[in-house]
Every structure is written in C-alpha cells, then in structure tokens.
Amino acid sequence: MIMAILSSPHLTPSPLANPPSLTRRSRLKLTPIMAKADQFKDHHPSLEVLGGARDLFCPVIKTHLGRPYDHYPVFGSNRHIETIFAAFFRNIPDVKLKRECLRTQDDGTVTLDWVSGDAGNLPGNTPILLLLPGLSGGSDDSYVRHMLVRARSKGWRVVVFNSRGCADSPVTTPQMYSASYLGDLDAVVNHVVSRYPKANLYGAGWSMGANILVQYLGKEAGARRFSGAVSLCNPFDLVMSDEDLCKGFNRIYNRSLAKALSGILKKHLMLFEDIGGDYNIPLAANAQTIRDYDEGLTRVSFGFKSVDEYLQNSCSANYIKYVRTPLLCIQAKNDPIAPDRAIPRQDIKENPNCLLIVTPKGGHLGWVAGDNAPVGCPWTDPMVIDFLQHLENEKSGTRQGTGELLQSVEA
C-alpha cells in the first residue's frame, strides 16, 4: 500500500492561535552560531535551504548540507518509481514493541507503541521522540521503523502514535480521525508528559502526521511541551494536494489511500450502522478517492459543510507562522503528493524558529539516497537525529546523549 498523506469538534483555540507578534524566539535558549540572518551559505547548491532559524541550525547539520543530494540510480531517478519503491521494497527493521491503548475524552481509542523493555531500562529523564505516521500509517511502516531504530540507537525513548483504526488499533466509537482534529494528539502529549515528567519531548511527523504536528505546534497550548520537532513530506496546503491527487499518475495514490481508509472503516462498520444524519457510510466504505471517503464520513463527523471547507481548515500552512518550537521541515521538490508550490516559504523565512530544506528529488516518503540506499533508511534520517540531538544537548546542557546506547533492537 502506498503510504501516507492527508486524510470536528475542534479544540478551543489557545492564545497561540493569534499571537500578537512573532518577534519572541522559542523558549529553548540556543547558543547563536552566527550573528546575522541569512548569512549561512555553506550548503550544496543541489539543496534549497531557507528559514528564520537558518543561521542557528544550519551549522548543526552542516555535514549533511555540504554534500550533494545524489539520488540512487534508477530507483531514485523518477518521483513515482521512488515513491513506490520506498513503499514496497525498503526493508522494515524488526523491533519488539509494547502496545498501550489510550482512551480519549469521547471514549475513542488510540494506541501508543513503545520499544519493549525501555520502560524499565531507561532513566526517567531520557529524551522522548513521538512519531506521527502518515495517512492510514502506523508503527509497521518502514519509514517509521527506521527512524525509531536510529533514535533508539542514540539512547532515546521512542513512541509511535497510531491514530484510530491504524496499525490494528481498536475503534470504539463511530468517529475516526482527520487532518483537522488535534484532540487525540493533545491527549497523547498530555499522557506521555505526565508519564515521564522529567524528560524532554520531541516530535517527528510524516505527511498527514507532519500536517497535524505543525498545526498543533502553531495552534494549541500543548505545543509548549515540545522541545523540538521535525516535519517531513508535509502537504501544508491540502487543497493543492487534493488537486494534484486528481491528476495523471497521482490518481493511483489517490485510489490506494482511499482503499486503505475504506478498509479500516469496513472492519468497524457495525459502529456506524445506525448513525443517520448526513453520513453516507456506503460511499466512504467503497471510496474510490480520498474525497469520496471525506464526503461520506470525515467532513460530517467533524462538522464541516463540505469537503472543500474541511480541506481549507486543515492546512498546516495556516499555522506555521505561529510556531514557537524549533522546527525542521524537509521536503522533496518533486513530491507528487505534497506539492512544492504549497510550501509556505515566506512564513518559514520570517519565523525565527523554522528551517526548511528542500531536496531536488525524493518523491513522497522516498528519499532513496545516501549511504543506506536503496533499501535502508531514507536520506533524511541521519540529519533529523543530528538536529534533534543538538536540541537535546542544548536543552539538557550536555554534549552527549542521555541514555545508554542500544547496539541492537530485539526482534
């Protein structure tokens, strides 16, 4: 299955939703590395690098930025070949996970997958990385597993947030999840922080998971609990993404994702038998496109009059200007699902907490390049972990990881 994109009662907007100004820097006090903005030039011309935090963070990942982005021959040469190859043929690390089911306020259920044994083996102040997969994705996906294993090998505690119905999570109410609803993430953040109050929390999201994470960081009061975050393959503008999914070969992804969503719904149809109202459950359960699914279920469930209204209100591009958490965004210029034209470049340039890196190729959740290509981790992973480790070092006042290194993760 091709992995990942977009997909209320809405949460009450916090004061972060309309901050008076963006002149205040992130709460995380980082040591300035260069004095003037937009002075960092030492990156390879194959990469686009910009953002208000450019001079603060670029030197941290200079090793990665100084190299050319060389896609792997054949598999990384075409955006569709790369997207499909990564989805079907990238290896999936074996990891023993321990599942925790978390009930939400509306009696719904999400699941958290932790690395088995870490609860008793890692100190309470070990930094935590919360992973948010793409649309219909979960802890079984290769890109999630690779990031999990890499972070864990550096001594981090890692947990995967599986949305309702994803990765075989139980569905206990006639409500799924959406690109606009932040309540489940808020519940997860509160739970994780209360469980490990001495640890710093970081987040990384892909595609729809990235869209939800960035919205949360710019909109909700709980964003203050994050010490740093990474957004990968973020569609940013779901209206544009929806437009592109209806064109040419992209229709294949549209049908594949719709099939994944309707497949989850079909497993739990009994919950929706007598739902009534404006719902069209047969349309959603037999969706040929994501729009069919959203028309039959999502937009009604979350209180929107139309799919277009739902998409317009679910764009993380609307909130990135308000992000006050150190944020690294990585995009591929040729992404067929998260269009390059949707990237809110100006808002990222004006936000002193954001850094954007755009690679010339990469497809969607592909990035078949680097030392681990073609079947190993995506090109992005080493950079992401170096970025997050720097934030943790600065936050904790150390220059080393805080946990014991794990040489291997048990299957």
Coordinates of all heavy atoms in Angstrom, one line a residue, residues 69 71-72 74-88 90 253 332 334 360-369 379:
Y69 N 23.0 16.2 -3.1 CA 21.9 15.2 -2.9 C 22.0 14.3 -4.2 O 21.6 14.7 -5.3 CB 20.5 15.9 -2.8 CG 19.4 14.8 -2.7 CD1 19.1 14.4 -1.4 CD2 18.8 14.3 -3.8 CE1 18.1 13.4 -1.3 CE2 17.8 13.3 -3.7 CZ 17.5 12.9 -2.4 OH 16.5 11.9 -2.2
H71 N 20.7 11.1 -5.8 CA 19.7 10.0 -5.7 C 20.3 8.7 -6.2 O 21.3 8.7 -7.0 CB 18.5 10.4 -6.6 CG 18.8 10.4 -8.1 ND1 19.1 11.6 -8.7 CD2 18.8 9.5 -9.0 CE1 19.3 11.4 -10.0 NE2 19.1 10.1 -10.2
Y72 N 19.7 7.6 -5.7 CA 20.2 6.3 -6.1 C 19.8 6.1 -7.6 O 18.7 6.4 -8.0 CB 19.6 5.2 -5.2 CG 20.3 3.9 -5.3 CD1 21.5 3.7 -4.5 CD2 19.8 2.9 -6.1 CE1 22.1 2.5 -4.6 CE2 20.5 1.7 -6.2 CZ 21.6 1.5 -5.4 OH 22.3 0.2 -5.5
V74 N 18.4 4.8 -10.9 CA 17.1 4.2 -11.3 C 16.0 4.4 -10.3 O 15.0 5.0 -10.5 CB 17.3 2.7 -11.6 CG1 16.0 2.1 -12.1 CG2 18.4 2.5 -12.7
F75 N 16.2 3.8 -9.1 CA 15.2 3.8 -8.1 C 14.9 5.2 -7.5 O 13.7 5.5 -7.1 CB 15.5 2.9 -6.9 CG 15.8 1.5 -7.3 CD1 16.9 0.8 -6.8 CD2 14.9 0.8 -8.1 CE1 17.1 -0.5 -7.1 CE2 15.1 -0.5 -8.4 CZ 16.2 -1.2 -8.0
G76 N 15.8 6.1 -7.6 CA 15.6 7.4 -7.1 C 15.6 8.5 -8.3 O 15.6 9.7 -8.0
S77 N 15.5 8.0 -9.5 CA 15.6 8.9 -10.6 C 14.2 9.5 -11.0 O 14.2 10.6 -11.6 CB 16.1 8.2 -11.8 OG 15.3 7.1 -12.2
N78 N 13.1 8.9 -10.7 CA 11.8 9.3 -11.0 C 10.9 9.4 -9.8 O 11.0 8.4 -9.0 CB 11.2 8.4 -12.1 CG 9.8 8.7 -12.4 OD1 8.8 8.3 -11.7 ND2 9.5 9.4 -13.5
R79 N 10.1 10.4 -9.6 CA 9.4 10.6 -8.4 C 8.4 9.4 -8.1 O 8.2 9.0 -7.0 CB 8.6 11.9 -8.4 CG 7.6 12.1 -9.4 CD 6.9 13.4 -9.3 NE 5.8 13.6 -10.2 CZ 5.0 14.7 -10.1 NH1 5.2 15.6 -9.2 NH2 4.0 14.8 -11.0
H80 N 7.8 8.9 -9.2 CA 6.8 7.8 -9.0 C 7.6 6.5 -8.7 O 7.1 5.7 -7.8 CB 5.9 7.6 -10.2 CG 5.1 8.9 -10.5 ND1 4.3 9.4 -9.5 CD2 5.0 9.6 -11.6 CE1 3.7 10.5 -10.1 NE2 4.1 10.6 -11.3
I81 N 8.6 6.2 -9.4 CA 9.4 5.0 -9.1 C 9.9 5.0 -7.7 O 9.9 4.0 -7.0 CB 10.6 4.9 -10.1 CG1 10.1 4.6 -11.5 CG2 11.6 3.8 -9.7 CD1 11.2 4.7 -12.6
E82 N 10.4 6.2 -7.3 CA 11.0 6.3 -5.9 C 9.9 6.2 -4.8 O 10.2 5.5 -3.8 CB 11.7 7.7 -5.8 CG 12.4 7.9 -4.5 CD 13.4 9.1 -4.6 OE1 13.2 9.9 -5.5 OE2 14.3 9.2 -3.7
T83 N 8.8 6.8 -5.0 CA 7.7 6.7 -4.1 C 7.2 5.2 -3.9 O 7.1 4.7 -2.8 CB 6.5 7.5 -4.5 OG1 6.9 8.9 -4.6 CG2 5.4 7.4 -3.5
I84 N 7.0 4.5 -5.0 CA 6.6 3.2 -5.0 C 7.6 2.2 -4.5 O 7.4 1.3 -3.7 CB 6.1 2.8 -6.4 CG1 4.8 3.6 -6.8 CG2 5.8 1.3 -6.4 CD1 4.4 3.4 -8.2
F85 N 8.9 2.4 -4.9 CA 10.0 1.6 -4.5 C 10.1 1.6 -3.0 O 10.2 0.6 -2.3 CB 11.3 2.0 -5.1 CG 12.5 1.2 -4.7 CD1 12.8 -0.1 -5.2 CD2 13.3 1.6 -3.6 CE1 13.8 -0.8 -4.8 CE2 14.4 0.9 -3.2 CZ 14.6 -0.3 -3.8
A86 N 10.1 2.8 -2.4 CA 10.3 3.0 -1.0 C 9.1 2.4 -0.2 O 9.3 1.8 0.9 CB 10.4 4.5 -0.6
A87 N 7.9 2.5 -0.7 CA 6.7 1.9 -0.1 C 6.8 0.4 0.0 O 6.4 -0.2 1.0 CB 5.5 2.4 -0.7
F88 N 7.2 -0.2 -1.1 CA 7.1 -1.7 -1.2 C 8.4 -2.4 -0.9 O 8.4 -3.6 -0.5 CB 6.7 -2.1 -2.6 CG 5.2 -1.8 -2.9 CD1 4.8 -0.7 -3.5 CD2 4.3 -2.8 -2.4 CE1 3.4 -0.5 -3.7 CE2 2.9 -2.5 -2.6 CZ 2.5 -1.4 -3.3
R90 N 11.6 -1.0 0.6 CA 12.5 -0.6 1.6 C 12.4 -1.6 2.8 O 11.3 -2.0 3.1 CB 12.2 0.8 2.1 CG 13.0 1.3 3.3 CD 12.8 2.8 3.5 NE 13.6 3.6 2.7 CZ 13.3 4.8 2.1 NH1 12.1 5.3 2.4 NH2 14.1 5.4 1.3
Y253 N -2.2 6.9 -6.4 CA -2.0 7.1 -5.0 C -3.4 7.4 -4.4 O -3.7 7.0 -3.2 CB -1.1 8.3 -4.7 CG 0.2 8.2 -5.4 CD1 0.8 9.3 -6.1 CD2 1.0 7.0 -5.4 CE1 2.0 9.2 -6.8 CE2 2.2 6.9 -6.0 CZ 2.7 8.0 -6.7 OH 3.9 7.9 -7.4
A332 N 10.6 17.3 -0.5 CA 11.2 16.9 -1.8 C 10.5 17.8 -2.9 O 9.3 17.8 -2.9 CB 11.0 15.5 -2.1
N334 N 10.1 17.3 -5.9 CA 9.3 16.5 -6.9 C 8.3 15.6 -6.3 O 7.8 14.7 -6.9 CB 10.2 15.7 -7.8 CG 10.9 14.5 -7.0 OD1 10.9 14.5 -5.8 ND2 11.4 13.5 -7.8
P360 N 16.1 18.1 -4.3 CA 15.7 18.2 -5.7 C 14.8 17.0 -6.1 O 13.9 17.0 -7.0 CB 16.9 18.2 -6.5 CG 18.0 17.6 -5.7 CD 17.6 18.0 -4.3
K361 N 15.1 15.8 -5.5 CA 14.3 14.6 -5.7 C 14.0 14.0 -4.3 O 14.3 14.5 -3.3 CB 15.1 13.6 -6.6 CG 15.3 14.1 -8.0 CD 16.0 13.0 -8.8 CE 16.3 13.5 -10.2 NZ 15.0 13.7 -11.0
G362 N 13.2 12.9 -4.4 CA 12.8 12.3 -3.1 C 11.5 11.6 -3.2 O 11.2 10.7 -2.4
G363 N 10.6 12.1 -4.1 CA 9.3 11.6 -4.2 C 8.5 11.8 -2.9 O 8.8 12.7 -2.2
H364 N 7.6 10.9 -2.6 CA 6.8 11.1 -1.3 C 7.2 9.9 -0.4 O 7.1 8.7 -0.7 CB 5.3 11.0 -1.6 CG 4.5 11.3 -0.4 ND1 4.4 12.6 0.1 CD2 3.7 10.6 0.4 CE1 3.7 12.6 1.2 NE2 3.2 11.4 1.4
L365 N 7.8 10.3 0.7 CA 8.4 9.3 1.7 C 9.4 8.4 1.1 O 9.5 7.3 1.5 CB 7.2 8.5 2.3 CG 6.1 9.3 3.0 CD1 5.0 8.4 3.4 CD2 6.7 10.0 4.2
G366 N 10.1 8.9 0.1 CA 11.1 8.1 -0.6 C 12.5 8.4 -0.1 O 13.1 7.7 0.7
W367 N 13.1 9.5 -0.7 CA 14.5 9.9 -0.4 C 15.4 8.7 -0.5 O 16.2 8.4 0.5 CB 14.6 10.6 1.0 CG 14.1 12.0 1.0 CD1 14.5 13.0 0.2 CD2 13.0 12.6 1.8 NE1 13.8 14.2 0.4 CE2 12.9 13.9 1.4 CE3 12.2 12.1 2.7 CZ2 12.0 14.8 2.0 CZ3 11.3 12.9 3.3 CH2 11.2 14.3 3.0
V368 N 15.3 8.0 -1.6 CA 16.2 6.8 -1.8 C 17.6 7.4 -2.3 O 17.9 7.5 -3.4 CB 15.6 5.9 -2.9 CG1 16.6 4.7 -3.1 CG2 14.2 5.5 -2.5
A369 N 18.4 7.8 -1.3 CA 19.7 8.4 -1.5 C 20.5 8.2 -0.2 O 20.0 7.8 0.8 CB 19.5 9.9 -1.9
W379 N 17.3 9.1 3.2 CA 18.4 10.1 3.3 C 18.2 11.0 4.4 O 19.2 11.5 5.0 CB 18.4 10.9 2.0 CG 19.4 12.0 1.9 CD1 20.7 12.0 1.6 CD2 19.1 13.4 2.2 NE1 21.3 13.2 1.6 CE2 20.3 14.1 2.0 CE3 17.9 14.1 2.6 CZ2 20.4 15.5 2.2 CZ3 18.0 15.4 2.8 CH2 19.2 16.1 2.6

